[in-house]
Amino acid sequence: MRRLLAAAVAAALLTLSGCAGNAASDRFLIAVSTNILGDVVSHLVADDVEVLTLMRPGADPHSFEISAAEAARVRSADLLVANGLGLEEGLQQHLDAAAADGVATFVAGDVVEVLPYASADAGGADDPHFWTDPAQMIRVVDALEPVIRGLDGVDSSAVTSRAAQYRAQLQDLDADMTAAFAAIPAERRALVTNHHVFGYLAERFGFRLIGAVIPGGTTLAAPSTSDLADLVSAIDEAGVPTIFAESSSPDRLVRALADEADRDVAVTELFTESLTDAAGGAPDYLTMMRVNTERIATGLSP
């Protein structure tokens, strides 16, 4: 009888031990809308937090969608991080549903210094592409850090340490971009892209936005013949040596525009609205910004 009792107690202890192990392995879940913000969040958290990035590498943030299973995970997250400012057009219903279900939500667009689109075609709408200015991303990190630390039971000291390290990297990026762009003559700091995405970069580093092939603030719009004609005239007048095609949008229209201008205009690809996979050249935010800086500086320098 004693042996049977001892065996029962041992079995109970093993069961409790196994339950404790499972509980310890449970991680906090942070769901993030875009892969750019997903990368930033991943730099702030330790192994006790799982980061679910909804946007696939190379996707268009204006139009990507998620599965029903992913939507269910978003509604069960401990924290939802979104870009906001109208960027996630194809995802907004799921973000709204999660917030309505009580999921704590951090919207990066609420903590940056918001600029309106430079284009009149956007009707004065807010520009959601704040990440093209690294100083704005530092503001996001500054505001997001205490939110993540405030999750009950998260390793707050790890968040503090990792945020400090990443903030320093962002400050280095900002300094390097400032130096690279300062070397471009002022008369050559002019940008033409697929659509209006560089408003924050232009404001911060003294660029002129000549125009975009796609009018307004979304890649879901389409240019008219008169739009292209006006843009060709602006390019010819400004003497732009390079126009830029975004990796998340086809560059067919940009190349057609270069041909339409009837002069030697180079077309250079930039990574603007989405990160790539590991082999794509822009697997993280810092790399994306450094690659873009080098390509812009090369394309516009004499």
Side-chain angles (χ1 to χ4, degrees):
M1 181 62 124
R2 289 178 180 174
R3 283 196 292 269
L4 289 174
L5 181 59
V9 170
L13 288 174
L14 285 172
T15 300
L16 289 173
S17 175
C19 290
N22 290 335
S25 67
D26 288 342
R27 298 192 293 167
F28 295 91
L29 176 62
I30 300 180
V32 190
S33 61
T34 71
N35 53 43
I36 292 175
L37 284 175
D39 175 61
V40 172
V41 172
S42 295
H43 279 84
L44 304 186
V45 300
D47 291 340
D48 59 338
V49 177
E50 176 188 357
V51 178
L52 171 64
T53 300
L54 300 173
M55 179 180 162
R56 303 291 187 272
D60 183 336
H62 297 275
S63 59
F64 83 98
E65 299 179 353
I66 60 175
S67 67
E70 288 171 322
R73 290 209 72 198
V74 170
R75 292 195 298 273
S76 68
D78 297 287
L79 177 65
L80 171 61
V81 176
N83 190 94
L85 302 175
L87 181 74
E88 302 102 330
E89 298 172 70
L91 187 64
Q92 194 60 52
Q93 60 176 325
H94 299 295
L95 303 182
D96 293 341
D101 284 352
V103 177
T105 302
F106 175 91
V107 180
D110 291 344
V111 302
V112 302
E113 296 178 357
V114 179
L115 297 176
Y117 275 109
S119 170
D121 296 314
D126 292 334
D127 185 344
H129 307 95
F130 57 82
W131 62 84
T132 61
D133 175 2
Q136 299 284 5
M137 194 63 91
I138 292 173
R139 292 175 66 93
V140 173
V141 170
D142 289 344
L144 182 56
E145 177 192 348
V147 173
I148 298 176
R149 282 204 323 261
L151 294 175
D152 187 23
V154 77
D155 187 346
S156 60
S157 62
V159 174
T160 299
S161 175
R162 292 171 69 92
Q165 293 173 10
Y166 193 58
R167 189 179 293 107
Q169 292 178 294
L170 291 172
Q171 290 166 344
D172 288 343
L173 169 66
D174 186 82
D176 291 343
M177 290 178 66
T178 299
F181 292 147
I184 303 172
E187 66 273 12
R188 296 177 72 96
R189 283 184 222 153
L191 295 172
V192 179
T193 60
N194 285 64
H195 84 288
H196 293 283
V197 70
F198 283 111
Y200 290 86
L201 182 147
E203 176 72 16
R204 176 71 188 288
F205 299 108
F207 283 83
R208 290 171 294 131
L209 298 176
I210 298 300
V213 178
I214 300 174
T218 171
T219 55
L220 304 183
S224 66
T225 302
S226 62
D227 289 328
L228 291 176
D230 290 344
L231 193 49
V232 167
S233 297
I235 289 174
D236 285 338
E237 182 178 347
V240 178
T242 302
I243 58 181
F244 299 98
E246 300 166 63
S247 61
S248 61
S249 302
D251 68 353
R252 176 178 53 84
L253 289 175
V254 174
R255 295 191 182 279
L257 179 60
D259 294 338
E260 185 73 20
D262 193 26
R263 59 205 255 333
D264 186 17
V265 178
V267 179
T268 297
E269 182 182 69
L270 298 180
F271 303 101
T272 56
E273 292 195 302
S274 177
L275 303 181
T276 67
D277 58 23
D284 59 76
Y285 172 71
L286 294 173
T287 300
M288 178 186 79
M289 295 298 290
R290 291 188 181 282
V291 168
N292 287 345
T293 298
E294 188 276 330
R295 292 182 180 180
I296 292 173
T298 299
L300 299 181
S301 294

